[in-house]
């Protein structure tokens, strides 16, 4: 079964949907993407997915425009100003990957008051007028500890690699990891660094903290940092622990090499970057007058030892294991939430 089929099956196992067509009611509508950061492979894959799906939608006359905008710095003040500019430019909907769940609420409310549909995803906003497409990031973090508890029941010291400081996704995954450690006290977080969801940043951060750490049994991560962690351990001539991966191609390829060489075992988990395409279609459906719940939840994407090769084969070099959503896929997600 492909990744996409597994994800959609988990969203709507019993969902039966009538054939869906994009209404001409949105042919003159303009949708913008407000993105706060593009400095890692996940964000690049997210933007690539957006570009691929929305260009087709524009060429088919489903919407008039679907323009992406990324801030130069990961600053909520800069993104708020960006959103205010998009309001002035006359966009009918703004899809947001937010730098903060709360700091953008003022700008989001301005957009709503101007009659603009606002859909947030990944980094969501808490302003009630906006729609939210979220993954249970806390469960994603906790799933790592559950996996390790089965693999190493005696526990041990863990190194935690966090994401971008101050972003809600980082806080939620961290909370899940903490909850897992509380449930399985045989594990101890011996050290923590911020890897910013980027391999190079993670490698430098791990290299910096390793000399002060005891033996590490496993590394828990947030995505985009597993390969960098492995390189840091190797450079320090320390045993490679079990490193939870984040679905990046370089991580999966390294895992496959180690699996073939010595039977290395781990798991990999992340949100599919193509969730941006789901957010696009949700915005389009709202503009089309469809009834859509304010809170939508999509599953995270997990890769295990037995399906590593299949997922690596379908992941682009330098990319991330991914799922992109069609209009029909989005309709299934919407219907499953009703």
């Amino acid at each position: 079964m492909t990744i996409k089929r597994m994800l959609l099956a988990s969203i709507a196992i019993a969902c039966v949907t009538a054939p869906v067509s994009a209404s001409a009611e949105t042919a003159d509508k303009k949708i913008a993407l407000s993105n706060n950061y593009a400095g890692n492979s996940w964000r690049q894959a997210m933007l690539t997915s957006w570009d691929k799906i929305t260009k087709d939608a524009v060429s088919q006359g489903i919407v008039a425009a679907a323009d992406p905008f990324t801030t130069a710095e990961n600053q909520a003040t800069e993104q708020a100003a960006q959103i205010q500019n998009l309001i002035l430019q006359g966009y009918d909907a703004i899809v947001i990957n937010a730098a903060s769940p709360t700091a953008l609420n003022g700008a989001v409310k301005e957009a709503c008051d101007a009659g603009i549909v606002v859909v947030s995803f990944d980094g969501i906003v808490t302003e009630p007028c906006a729609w939210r497409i979220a993954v249970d990031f806390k469960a994603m973090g906790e799933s790592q500890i559950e996996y390790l508890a089965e693999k190493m029941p005696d526990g041990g010291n863990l190194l935690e690699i966090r994401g971008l400081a101050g972003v809600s996704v980082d806080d939620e995954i961290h909370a899940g990891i903490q909850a897992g450690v509380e449930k399985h006290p045989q594990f101890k977080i011996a050290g923590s660094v911020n890897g910013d969801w980027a391999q190079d940043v993670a490698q430098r951060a791990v290299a910096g903290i390793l000399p002060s750490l005891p033996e590490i049994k496993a590394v828990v991560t947030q995505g985009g940092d597993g390969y960098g962690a492995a390189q840091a351990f190797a450079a320090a001539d320390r045993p490679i622990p079990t490193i939870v991966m984040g679905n990046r191609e370089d991580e999966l390829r390294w895992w496959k090499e180690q699996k073939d060489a010595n039977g290395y075992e781990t798991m990999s988990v992340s949100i599919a970057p193509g969730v941006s395409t789901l957010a696009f279609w949700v915005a389009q459906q709202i503009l089309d007058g469809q009834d859509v719940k304010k809170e939508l939840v999509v599953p995270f994407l997990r890769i295990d030892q037995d399906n590593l090769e299949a997922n690596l084969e379908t992941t682009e070099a330098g990319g991330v294991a991914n799922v992109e959503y069609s209009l029909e896929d989005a309709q299934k997600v919407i219907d499953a939430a009703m």
Side-chain angles (χ1 to χ4, degrees), residues 81-242:
Q82 180 191 75
I83 293 168
Q84 290 165 336
N85 286 333
L86 296 176
I87 295 170
L88 295 175
Q89 291 176 43
Y91 283 93
D92 301 285
I94 302 174
V95 173
I96 301 175
N97 195 339
S100 164
T102 57
L104 300 181
N105 282 351
V108 169
K109 185 64 164 60
E110 288 181 41
C112 293
D113 289 346
I116 298 170
V117 169
V118 177
V119 178
S120 63
F121 72 98
D122 187 35
I124 59 174
V125 297
T126 57
E127 166 55 47
C129 71
W131 278 260
R132 282 161 287 280
I133 300 173
V135 163
D136 190 342
F137 287 109
K138 183 176 180 181
M140 193 172 101
E142 192 166 359
S143 72
Q144 299 184 46
I145 306 300
E146 293 295 335
Y147 167 80
L148 293 174
E150 291 185 10
K151 180 178 172 60
M152 47 187 77
D154 293 336
N157 293 314
L158 306 178
L159 170 62
E160 180 184 10
I161 306 179
R162 298 187 59 168
L164 277 171
V167 178
S168 62
V169 173
D170 169 67
D171 292 334
E172 291 178 33
I173 297 175
H174 170 67
I177 290 170
Q178 292 282 68
V181 170
E182 290 176 9
K183 184 177 176 182
H184 300 283
Q186 68 269 36
F187 291 101
K188 176 185 176 183
I189 303 292
S192 178
V193 295
N194 284 92
D196 295 358
W197 304 317
Q199 303 288 8
D200 55 344
V201 177
Q203 182 171 349
R204 290 193 299 270
V206 173
I209 197 175
L210 268 182
S212 66
L213 294 180
E215 179 188 4
I216 297 297
K217 297 289 289 184
V219 180
V220 288
T221 67
Q222 296 199 3
D225 33 33
Y227 181 70
Q231 297 308 299
F233 273 88
D237 198 25
R238 293 187 57 156
I240 305 294
T242 298

Side-chain angles (χ1 to χ4, degrees), residues 31 50 53-54 57 63 66 95 276-285:
I31 300 175
W50 172 276
I53 296 300
T54 62
V63 294
V95 173
S276 62
T277 64
L278 173 61
F280 165 75
W281 287 119
V282 167
Q284 185 272 334
Q285 287 289 281

Side-chain angles (χ1 to χ4, degrees), residues 139-152 218-223 225-226 241-248 251-252 254-255 264-270 300-308:
M140 193 172 101
E142 192 166 359
S143 72
Q144 299 184 46
I145 306 300
E146 293 295 335
Y147 167 80
L148 293 174
E150 291 185 10
K151 180 178 172 60
M152 47 187 77
V219 180
V220 288
T221 67
Q222 296 199 3
D225 33 33
T242 298
I243 304 172
V244 177
M245 300 298 177
N247 293 0
R248 276 61 171 176
E251 296 175 321
L252 301 179
W254 179 88
W255 176 9
Y264 187 85
E265 294 185 8
T266 187
M267 54 91 78
S268 184
V269 63
S270 184
F300 50 81
L301 178 58
R302 174 169 167 166
I303 298 171
D304 288 292
Q305 198 80 1
D306 60 351
N307 60 9
L308 167 61

Side-chain angles (χ1 to χ4, degrees), residues 286-306:
I286 297 166
L287 290 173
D288 194 34
Q290 303 302 314
D291 185 19
V292 179
K293 278 198 169 183
K294 283 292 178 77
E295 312 287 340
L296 298 174
V297 177
V298 293
F300 50 81
L301 178 58
R302 174 169 167 166
I303 298 171
D304 288 292
Q305 198 80 1
D306 60 351

